[in-house]
Amino acid sequence: MPRRAPNPAQVREELLAVAPWVRDPEAHERPPRPVLAAAVRSSLRTLEHTAPGHSVEVRVPPFGAVQCIEGPRHTRGTPPNVVETDAATWLALALGLLSWDEAAERVSASGHRAAEIARWLPVVDVHQRGEDG
């Protein structure tokens, strides 16, 4: 059974809380681990609900992983389609501060379906409605 859908307002709040650091890590102090964890986990859960399925696994160690995108379900071992990246890169993608193509060197994407997650990014677009984050 899938996890409960995240509250969009809460996801937005958690992502916007880390946006200044994601945008300019040299000018802003790294957020506390619980703040980073909340932003990563809620954005991953949002992806899981907006792109339901089990054919691609998205991993952001050490904070979380979800399966998404319709297709063949994978149940054992390493899935054939995996996206893995660090928290800063994932959050930049989730906020629309970095495109999938721009993140290519910072993301490990294996399998022919891995890049399909780009269709569901950003999770919260900081450029929408002129928000500064």
mmCIF file of all heavy atoms in Angstrom, residues 96-127:
data_model
loop_
_atom_site.group_PDB
_atom_site.id
_atom_site.type_symbol
_atom_site.label_atom_id
_atom_site.label_comp_id
_atom_site.label_asym_id
_atom_site.label_seq_id
_atom_site.Cartn_x
_atom_site.Cartn_y
_atom_site.Cartn_z
ATOM 1 N N GLY A 96 13.591 23.179 -9.097
ATOM 2 C CA GLY A 96 13.664 23.798 -10.418
ATOM 3 C C GLY A 96 14.852 24.728 -10.572
ATOM 4 O O GLY A 96 14.886 25.550 -11.489
ATOM 5 N N LEU A 97 15.839 24.604 -9.695
ATOM 6 C CA LEU A 97 17.043 25.428 -9.787
ATOM 7 C C LEU A 97 18.089 24.798 -10.702
ATOM 8 O O LEU A 97 19.077 25.432 -11.048
ATOM 9 C CB LEU A 97 17.645 25.647 -8.387
ATOM 10 C CG LEU A 97 16.745 26.395 -7.414
ATOM 11 C CD1 LEU A 97 17.343 26.384 -6.014
ATOM 12 C CD2 LEU A 97 16.528 27.827 -7.896
ATOM 13 N N LEU A 98 17.861 23.548 -11.067
ATOM 14 C CA LEU A 98 18.770 22.787 -11.912
ATOM 15 C C LEU A 98 17.925 21.891 -12.797
ATOM 16 O O LEU A 98 16.990 21.239 -12.303
ATOM 17 C CB LEU A 98 19.684 21.943 -11.001
ATOM 18 C CG LEU A 98 20.895 21.238 -11.570
ATOM 19 C CD1 LEU A 98 21.910 22.254 -12.112
ATOM 20 C CD2 LEU A 98 21.558 20.392 -10.479
ATOM 21 N N SER A 99 18.217 21.869 -14.078
ATOM 22 C CA SER A 99 17.483 20.982 -14.980
ATOM 23 C C SER A 99 18.141 19.602 -14.975
ATOM 24 O O SER A 99 19.289 19.443 -14.555
ATOM 25 C CB SER A 99 17.490 21.546 -16.406
ATOM 26 O OG SER A 99 18.775 21.385 -16.994
ATOM 27 N N TRP A 100 17.417 18.614 -15.477
ATOM 28 C CA TRP A 100 17.945 17.262 -15.566
ATOM 29 C C TRP A 100 19.240 17.262 -16.378
ATOM 30 O O TRP A 100 20.229 16.643 -15.985
ATOM 31 C CB TRP A 100 16.893 16.340 -16.171
ATOM 32 C CG TRP A 100 17.365 14.929 -16.307
ATOM 33 C CD1 TRP A 100 17.764 14.304 -17.440
ATOM 34 C CD2 TRP A 100 17.506 13.972 -15.252
ATOM 35 N NE1 TRP A 100 18.140 13.017 -17.162
ATOM 36 C CE2 TRP A 100 17.991 12.792 -15.823
ATOM 37 C CE3 TRP A 100 17.268 14.006 -13.879
ATOM 38 C CZ2 TRP A 100 18.247 11.632 -15.086
ATOM 39 C CZ3 TRP A 100 17.520 12.863 -13.132
ATOM 40 C CH2 TRP A 100 18.008 11.705 -13.740
ATOM 41 N N ASP A 101 19.248 17.964 -17.501
ATOM 42 C CA ASP A 101 20.447 18.005 -18.346
ATOM 43 C C ASP A 101 21.616 18.683 -17.636
ATOM 44 O O ASP A 101 22.756 18.237 -17.747
ATOM 45 C CB ASP A 101 20.156 18.718 -19.669
ATOM 46 C CG ASP A 101 19.222 17.907 -20.562
ATOM 47 O OD1 ASP A 101 19.159 16.670 -20.401
ATOM 48 O OD2 ASP A 101 18.556 18.520 -21.417
ATOM 49 N N GLU A 102 21.342 19.753 -16.900
ATOM 50 C CA GLU A 102 22.400 20.449 -16.160
ATOM 51 C C GLU A 102 22.970 19.582 -15.039
ATOM 52 O O GLU A 102 24.120 19.738 -14.653
ATOM 53 C CB GLU A 102 21.868 21.750 -15.559
ATOM 54 C CG GLU A 102 21.507 22.792 -16.593
ATOM 55 C CD GLU A 102 20.712 23.950 -16.003
ATOM 56 O OE1 GLU A 102 19.999 23.753 -14.999
ATOM 57 O OE2 GLU A 102 20.811 25.053 -16.567
ATOM 58 N N ALA A 103 22.171 18.680 -14.519
ATOM 59 C CA ALA A 103 22.584 17.832 -13.399
ATOM 60 C C ALA A 103 23.299 16.560 -13.847
ATOM 61 O O ALA A 103 23.731 15.780 -13.001
ATOM 62 C CB ALA A 103 21.368 17.470 -12.556
ATOM 63 N N ALA A 104 23.449 16.364 -15.130
ATOM 64 C CA ALA A 104 23.961 15.097 -15.666
ATOM 65 C C ALA A 104 25.240 14.601 -14.996
ATOM 66 O O ALA A 104 25.371 13.407 -14.717
ATOM 67 C CB ALA A 104 24.176 15.215 -17.168
ATOM 68 N N GLU A 105 26.166 15.478 -14.709
ATOM 69 C CA GLU A 105 27.433 15.054 -14.106
ATOM 70 C C GLU A 105 27.330 14.840 -12.598
ATOM 71 O O GLU A 105 28.247 14.299 -11.989
ATOM 72 C CB GLU A 105 28.529 16.056 -14.435
ATOM 73 C CG GLU A 105 28.884 16.052 -15.899
ATOM 74 C CD GLU A 105 30.045 16.960 -16.231
ATOM 75 O OE1 GLU A 105 30.809 17.335 -15.326
ATOM 76 O OE2 GLU A 105 30.184 17.295 -17.419
ATOM 77 N N ARG A 106 26.229 15.266 -11.996
ATOM 78 C CA ARG A 106 26.048 15.147 -10.549
ATOM 79 C C ARG A 106 25.055 14.061 -10.164
ATOM 80 O O ARG A 106 24.795 13.841 -8.988
ATOM 81 C CB ARG A 106 25.580 16.494 -9.988
ATOM 82 C CG ARG A 106 26.624 17.583 -10.183
ATOM 83 C CD ARG A 106 26.103 18.983 -9.943
ATOM 84 N NE ARG A 106 25.486 19.187 -8.653
ATOM 85 C CZ ARG A 106 24.900 20.321 -8.291
ATOM 86 N NH1 ARG A 106 24.864 21.347 -9.132
ATOM 87 N NH2 ARG A 106 24.352 20.445 -7.105
ATOM 88 N N VAL A 107 24.500 13.383 -11.164
ATOM 89 C CA VAL A 107 23.486 12.345 -10.939
ATOM 90 C C VAL A 107 23.964 11.050 -11.572
ATOM 91 O O VAL A 107 24.426 11.043 -12.702
ATOM 92 C CB VAL A 107 22.140 12.763 -11.579
ATOM 93 C CG1 VAL A 107 21.130 11.641 -11.520
ATOM 94 C CG2 VAL A 107 21.591 14.013 -10.919
ATOM 95 N N SER A 108 23.826 9.968 -10.828
ATOM 96 C CA SER A 108 24.076 8.645 -11.387
ATOM 97 C C SER A 108 22.728 8.098 -11.829
ATOM 98 O O SER A 108 21.828 7.906 -11.002
ATOM 99 C CB SER A 108 24.697 7.737 -10.320
ATOM 100 O OG SER A 108 24.738 6.409 -10.791
ATOM 101 N N ALA A 109 22.574 7.888 -13.121
ATOM 102 C CA ALA A 109 21.307 7.386 -13.661
ATOM 103 C C ALA A 109 21.601 6.157 -14.512
ATOM 104 O O ALA A 109 22.312 6.254 -15.514
ATOM 105 C CB ALA A 109 20.611 8.459 -14.490
ATOM 106 N N SER A 110 21.091 5.018 -14.084
ATOM 107 C CA SER A 110 21.309 3.784 -14.838
ATOM 108 C C SER A 110 19.969 3.222 -15.284
ATOM 109 O O SER A 110 18.958 3.365 -14.595
ATOM 110 C CB SER A 110 22.061 2.768 -13.986
ATOM 111 O OG SER A 110 21.303 2.416 -12.848
ATOM 112 N N GLY A 111 19.992 2.596 -16.427
ATOM 113 C CA GLY A 111 18.774 2.011 -16.975
ATOM 114 C C GLY A 111 18.123 2.948 -17.969
ATOM 115 O O GLY A 111 18.209 4.168 -17.855
ATOM 116 N N HIS A 112 17.452 2.379 -18.939
ATOM 117 C CA HIS A 112 16.878 3.181 -20.023
ATOM 118 C C HIS A 112 15.700 4.044 -19.593
ATOM 119 O O HIS A 112 15.332 4.978 -20.286
ATOM 120 C CB HIS A 112 16.493 2.279 -21.208
ATOM 121 C CG HIS A 112 15.331 1.384 -20.951
ATOM 122 N ND1 HIS A 112 15.430 0.228 -20.208
ATOM 123 C CD2 HIS A 112 14.036 1.489 -21.334
ATOM 124 C CE1 HIS A 112 14.244 -0.344 -20.140
ATOM 125 N NE2 HIS A 112 13.377 0.392 -20.816
ATOM 126 N N ARG A 113 15.105 3.788 -18.430
ATOM 127 C CA ARG A 113 13.946 4.573 -17.994
ATOM 128 C C ARG A 113 14.282 5.599 -16.921
ATOM 129 O O ARG A 113 13.431 6.393 -16.524
ATOM 130 C CB ARG A 113 12.860 3.629 -17.466
ATOM 131 C CG ARG A 113 12.455 2.635 -18.560
ATOM 132 C CD ARG A 113 11.142 2.054 -18.400
ATOM 133 N NE ARG A 113 10.105 3.059 -18.328
ATOM 134 C CZ ARG A 113 8.916 2.815 -17.812
ATOM 135 N NH1 ARG A 113 8.638 1.639 -17.328
ATOM 136 N NH2 ARG A 113 8.004 3.744 -17.775
ATOM 137 N N ALA A 114 15.501 5.610 -16.418
ATOM 138 C CA ALA A 114 15.874 6.479 -15.300
ATOM 139 C C ALA A 114 15.601 7.956 -15.586
ATOM 140 O O ALA A 114 15.093 8.680 -14.730
ATOM 141 C CB ALA A 114 17.332 6.266 -14.931
ATOM 142 N N ALA A 115 15.942 8.405 -16.767
ATOM 143 C CA ALA A 115 15.779 9.826 -17.102
ATOM 144 C C ALA A 115 14.323 10.262 -17.182
ATOM 145 O O ALA A 115 14.039 11.466 -17.224
ATOM 146 C CB ALA A 115 16.490 10.139 -18.415
ATOM 147 N N GLU A 116 13.389 9.328 -17.149
ATOM 148 C CA GLU A 116 11.971 9.682 -17.210
ATOM 149 C C GLU A 116 11.516 10.504 -16.010
ATOM 150 O O GLU A 116 10.485 11.170 -16.079
ATOM 151 C CB GLU A 116 11.106 8.424 -17.353
ATOM 152 C CG GLU A 116 11.244 7.771 -18.708
ATOM 153 C CD GLU A 116 10.359 6.553 -18.862
ATOM 154 O OE1 GLU A 116 9.265 6.508 -18.262
ATOM 155 O OE2 GLU A 116 10.770 5.634 -19.598
ATOM 156 N N ILE A 117 12.275 10.497 -14.916
ATOM 157 C CA ILE A 117 11.840 11.303 -13.765
ATOM 158 C C ILE A 117 11.868 12.790 -14.093
ATOM 159 O O ILE A 117 11.166 13.570 -13.465
ATOM 160 C CB ILE A 117 12.638 11.024 -12.474
ATOM 161 C CG1 ILE A 117 14.058 11.555 -12.553
ATOM 162 C CG2 ILE A 117 12.593 9.577 -12.088
ATOM 163 C CD1 ILE A 117 14.676 11.757 -11.197
ATOM 164 N N ALA A 118 12.653 13.195 -15.082
ATOM 165 C CA ALA A 118 12.734 14.611 -15.455
ATOM 166 C C ALA A 118 11.356 15.177 -15.795
ATOM 167 O O ALA A 118 11.098 16.360 -15.564
ATOM 168 C CB ALA A 118 13.685 14.793 -16.639
ATOM 169 N N ARG A 119 10.492 14.348 -16.292
ATOM 170 C CA ARG A 119 9.134 14.780 -16.661
ATOM 171 C C ARG A 119 8.356 15.314 -15.455
ATOM 172 O O ARG A 119 7.471 16.140 -15.608
ATOM 173 C CB ARG A 119 8.405 13.591 -17.294
ATOM 174 C CG ARG A 119 6.988 13.863 -17.630
ATOM 175 C CD ARG A 119 6.375 12.665 -18.297
ATOM 176 N NE ARG A 119 4.936 12.823 -18.336
ATOM 177 C CZ ARG A 119 4.095 11.840 -18.496
ATOM 178 N NH1 ARG A 119 4.537 10.606 -18.642
ATOM 179 N NH2 ARG A 119 2.804 12.060 -18.525
ATOM 180 N N TRP A 120 8.671 14.827 -14.255
ATOM 181 C CA TRP A 120 7.940 15.208 -13.042
ATOM 182 C C TRP A 120 8.701 16.202 -12.166
ATOM 183 O O TRP A 120 8.339 16.428 -11.018
ATOM 184 C CB TRP A 120 7.577 13.967 -12.234
ATOM 185 C CG TRP A 120 6.489 13.196 -12.914
ATOM 186 C CD1 TRP A 120 5.152 13.458 -12.843
ATOM 187 C CD2 TRP A 120 6.626 12.085 -13.775
ATOM 188 N NE1 TRP A 120 4.455 12.555 -13.614
ATOM 189 C CE2 TRP A 120 5.339 11.703 -14.204
ATOM 190 C CE3 TRP A 120 7.718 11.359 -14.253
ATOM 191 C CZ2 TRP A 120 5.112 10.630 -15.054
ATOM 192 C CZ3 TRP A 120 7.491 10.304 -15.105
ATOM 193 C CH2 TRP A 120 6.201 9.956 -15.497
ATOM 194 N N LEU A 121 9.730 16.781 -12.706
ATOM 195 C CA LEU A 121 10.504 17.782 -11.963
ATOM 196 C C LEU A 121 10.278 19.151 -12.587
ATOM 197 O O LEU A 121 10.082 19.251 -13.788
ATOM 198 C CB LEU A 121 11.994 17.422 -12.000
ATOM 199 C CG LEU A 121 12.358 16.116 -11.310
ATOM 200 C CD1 LEU A 121 13.809 15.758 -11.575
ATOM 201 C CD2 LEU A 121 12.081 16.174 -9.818
ATOM 202 N N PRO A 122 10.294 20.209 -11.819
ATOM 203 C CA PRO A 122 10.529 20.275 -10.382
ATOM 204 C C PRO A 122 9.292 19.874 -9.583
ATOM 205 O O PRO A 122 8.176 19.911 -10.085
ATOM 206 C CB PRO A 122 10.859 21.746 -10.136
ATOM 207 C CG PRO A 122 10.108 22.473 -11.196
ATOM 208 C CD PRO A 122 10.118 21.542 -12.401
ATOM 209 N N VAL A 123 9.518 19.541 -8.338
ATOM 210 C CA VAL A 123 8.430 19.239 -7.407
ATOM 211 C C VAL A 123 7.773 20.543 -6.979
ATOM 212 O O VAL A 123 6.560 20.663 -6.919
ATOM 213 C CB VAL A 123 8.965 18.449 -6.193
ATOM 214 C CG1 VAL A 123 7.906 18.277 -5.124
ATOM 215 C CG2 VAL A 123 9.505 17.097 -6.641
ATOM 216 N N VAL A 124 8.585 21.546 -6.661
ATOM 217 C CA VAL A 124 8.146 22.908 -6.339
ATOM 218 C C VAL A 124 9.050 23.832 -7.133
ATOM 219 O O VAL A 124 10.262 23.794 -6.976
ATOM 220 C CB VAL A 124 8.292 23.215 -4.828
ATOM 221 C CG1 VAL A 124 8.095 24.699 -4.550
ATOM 222 C CG2 VAL A 124 7.320 22.396 -4.015
ATOM 223 N N ASP A 125 8.473 24.624 -8.000
ATOM 224 C CA ASP A 125 9.262 25.526 -8.838
ATOM 225 C C ASP A 125 9.395 26.886 -8.156
ATOM 226 O O ASP A 125 8.425 27.627 -8.042
ATOM 227 C CB ASP A 125 8.599 25.677 -10.200
ATOM 228 C CG ASP A 125 9.478 26.389 -11.210
ATOM 229 O OD1 ASP A 125 10.480 27.023 -10.810
ATOM 230 O OD2 ASP A 125 9.165 26.311 -12.405
ATOM 231 N N VAL A 126 10.599 27.209 -7.683
ATOM 232 C CA VAL A 126 10.803 28.490 -6.995
ATOM 233 C C VAL A 126 10.679 29.676 -7.941
ATOM 234 O O VAL A 126 10.527 30.803 -7.490
ATOM 235 C CB VAL A 126 12.144 28.569 -6.235
ATOM 236 C CG1 VAL A 126 12.169 27.605 -5.089
ATOM 237 C CG2 VAL A 126 13.318 28.389 -7.157
ATOM 238 N N HIS A 127 10.728 29.432 -9.223
ATOM 239 C CA HIS A 127 10.586 30.527 -10.186
ATOM 240 C C HIS A 127 9.120 30.886 -10.425
ATOM 241 O O HIS A 127 8.810 31.956 -10.889
ATOM 242 C CB HIS A 127 11.247 30.147 -11.514
ATOM 243 C CG HIS A 127 12.703 29.883 -11.340
ATOM 244 N ND1 HIS A 127 13.225 28.605 -11.353
ATOM 245 C CD2 HIS A 127 13.754 30.709 -11.121
ATOM 246 C CE1 HIS A 127 14.525 28.669 -11.162
ATOM 247 N NE2 HIS A 127 14.864 29.924 -11.008
#
